[in-house]
Amino acid sequence: MTSPIRVLVVMDPIASIKPAKDTTLAMMLAAQRRGWQLFYAEQKDLWLRDGVAHGYLREIKVRDDLHDWFELGEARTERLGDVPVILMRKDPPFDMEYIYTTYILERAEEQGALVVNRPQGLRDMNEKVFTAWFPQCCAPTLITRNIDDMFAFLREHLRIVCKPLYGMGGRSIFVIDRGDKNAGVVFETLSEYGTRYAIVQKYIPDIVTSGDTRILVIDGEPAPYGLARIPSAEDNRGNLAAGARGVGRELTERDRWLVGQIGPTLRERGMLFVGLDVIGGYVTEINVTSPTGVRELDKQYGTEIAGLLMDAIERRLASQTKS
């Protein structure tokens, strides 16, 4: 009889999540249904000693219960490289503490663990900048610190979206029209007077009617449905955290083409669970840190998308064993 697969989940405090919407909880439930043994840790529980990654791990049992969704065991010290699978599900901000955590997880990876998503990829693939590797999939985009160039881009495209490179959940996203007297203030603020890079994109009007669709990509392949985030009447942002409404939809031929362009690179670089944000057939972001949307889609379609990730993890583990 084989031992159950042990899985460590690194995440924000589990007591603070919204269980009805939390994708990490969906992953944990899917793993537990397979009989896998789950452990829990936060960033503060991880450390390096003489080049070896360690953690204070607590066994955890989860339930699909909106009022009582977890039960934690006692903390114990363990070498992270001895844990077969580590799910890195810490939400942004992607700050230096996040980067330091990826260094610890990279040592765990080198010492035997399968880390999902791969630590090097988490560092290398900024969710807004990495779209530049796939310009054929994107609307016109400018990444710059130069305020004059931002103004020139606005004059060229008449209506644009401007946002910082480090944001999440719709924070600090501005829609600017040519002639808007606040444009200079927005460019100065987001670039900190030309000392920080910001991203400027052509505005895609489909956001109003069709929303910003999250397409989940699992080991290079799309989940069966996308989650369109429709902005409220009072907002431009297609983010659930900013009040957008989530509506499931069938994938289009264009959606599948986009995944076909980007998915192989994600697979090759060890990014097993990624969210593409698509507006009007154009990719605006490639979310690698902690993509969401699973619970909403599972509820609407009766799917188990997190189970597809567990399948991918099993395949990777089997491949490691053979090699």
Side-chain angles (χ1 to χ4, degrees), residues 38-110:
L38 290 172
F39 296 88
Y40 164 88
E42 299 171 26
Q43 274 182 300
K44 62 184 176 63
D45 298 319
L46 310 181
W47 79 94
L48 287 172
R49 173 65 189 266
D50 301 326
V52 179
H54 295 83
Y56 295 119
L57 313 187
R58 303 175 73 180
E59 189 168 0
I60 184 170
K61 291 181 171 55
V62 289
R63 293 178 284 272
D64 198 0
D65 184 323
L66 300 185
H67 304 287
D68 181 23
W69 59 89
F70 72 99
E71 178 183 335
L72 283 173
E74 294 296 320
R76 71 193 205 199
T77 301
E78 189 159 351
R79 290 167 57 112
L80 298 184
D82 293 338
V83 182
V85 179
I86 301 175
L87 298 181
M88 174 49 165
R89 290 290 300 175
K90 171 71 180 72
D91 285 339
F94 189 86
D95 53 15
M96 286 307 301
E97 291 302 307
Y98 196 107
I99 290 174
Y100 297 147
T101 304
T102 68
Y103 292 144
I104 297 172
L105 293 177
E106 187 165 348
R107 292 301 295 156
E109 179 183 55
E110 292 173 355

Side-chain angles (χ1 to χ4, degrees), residues 41 50 112 128 138 143 188 220 285 306:
D50 301 326
K128 297 173 178 64
C138 306
I143 298 171
E188 290 166 359
E285 294 188 15

Side-chain angles (χ1 to χ4, degrees), residues 140 150-160 178 202:
M150 294 181 187
F151 271 111
F153 191 88
L154 175 57
R155 288 192 297 271
E156 179 183 356
H157 294 290
L158 305 181
R159 196 174 205 201
I160 63 172
R178 182 174 179 177
K202 179 181 178 180

Side-chain angles (χ1 to χ4, degrees), residues 5 12 14 24 45 70 74 76 96 105 120 152 172 200-201 205 276:
I5 296 173
D12 290 303
I14 192 168
T24 304
D45 298 319
F70 72 99
E74 294 296 320
R76 71 193 205 199
M96 286 307 301
L105 293 177
Q120 183 179 355
S172 302
V200 187
Q201 296 169 317
L276 304 184

Side-chain angles (χ1 to χ4, degrees), residues 168-179:
M168 64 163 287
R171 295 176 186 171
S172 302
I173 295 178
F174 293 86
V175 176
I176 307 169
D177 291 301
R178 182 174 179 177

Side-chain angles (χ1 to χ4, degrees), residues 68-269:
D68 181 23
W69 59 89
F70 72 99
E71 178 183 335
L72 283 173
E74 294 296 320
R76 71 193 205 199
T77 301
E78 189 159 351
R79 290 167 57 112
L80 298 184
D82 293 338
V83 182
V85 179
I86 301 175
L87 298 181
M88 174 49 165
R89 290 290 300 175
K90 171 71 180 72
D91 285 339
F94 189 86
D95 53 15
M96 286 307 301
E97 291 302 307
Y98 196 107
I99 290 174
Y100 297 147
T101 304
T102 68
Y103 292 144
I104 297 172
L105 293 177
E106 187 165 348
R107 292 301 295 156
E109 179 183 55
E110 292 173 355
Q111 292 155 10
L114 172 65
V115 182
V116 180
N117 284 321
R118 193 174 185 190
Q120 183 179 355
L122 292 174
R123 291 196 301 272
D124 289 352
M125 298 180 186
N126 177 278
E127 301 188 327
K128 297 173 178 64
V129 178
F130 195 59
T131 58
W133 271 248
F134 309 96
Q136 74 276 20
C137 300
C138 306
T141 300
L142 171 69
I143 298 171
T144 186
R145 301 188 342 178
N146 189 298
I147 293 173
D148 290 339
D149 288 346
M150 294 181 187
F151 271 111
F153 191 88
L154 175 57
R155 288 192 297 271
E156 179 183 356
H157 294 290
L158 305 181
R159 196 174 205 201
I160 63 172
V161 175
C162 189
K163 50 192 174 182
L165 296 181
Y166 55 82
M168 64 163 287
R171 295 176 186 171
S172 302
I173 295 178
F174 293 86
V175 176
I176 307 169
D177 291 301
R178 182 174 179 177
D180 188 333
K181 293 184 178 180
N182 289 309
V185 175
V186 171
F187 297 154
E188 290 166 359
T189 301
L190 294 187
S191 72
E192 293 191 12
Y193 292 89
T195 64
R196 277 182 175 266
Y197 283 98
I199 185 168
V200 187
Q201 296 169 317
K202 179 181 178 180
Y203 178 81
I204 306 169
D206 304 63
I207 182 71
V208 177
T209 55
S210 303
D212 181 346
T213 297
R214 167 65 52 81
I215 300 173
L216 295 171
V217 183
I218 301 160
D219 201 14
E221 298 294 332
Y225 302 96
L227 185 68
R229 286 83 52 88
I230 312 294
S232 69
E234 293 78 29
D235 208 314
N236 286 306
R237 296 169 295 176
N239 302 83
L240 298 179
R245 175 173 52 94
V247 179
R249 68 166 177 80
E250 300 274 353
L251 297 186
T252 66
E253 184 177 339
R254 171 73 176 181
D255 294 332
R256 296 185 185 280
W257 181 83
L258 293 170
V259 175
Q261 294 289 301
I262 300 172
T265 298
L266 300 176
R267 182 190 300 115
E268 290 164 10
R269 296 177 69 166

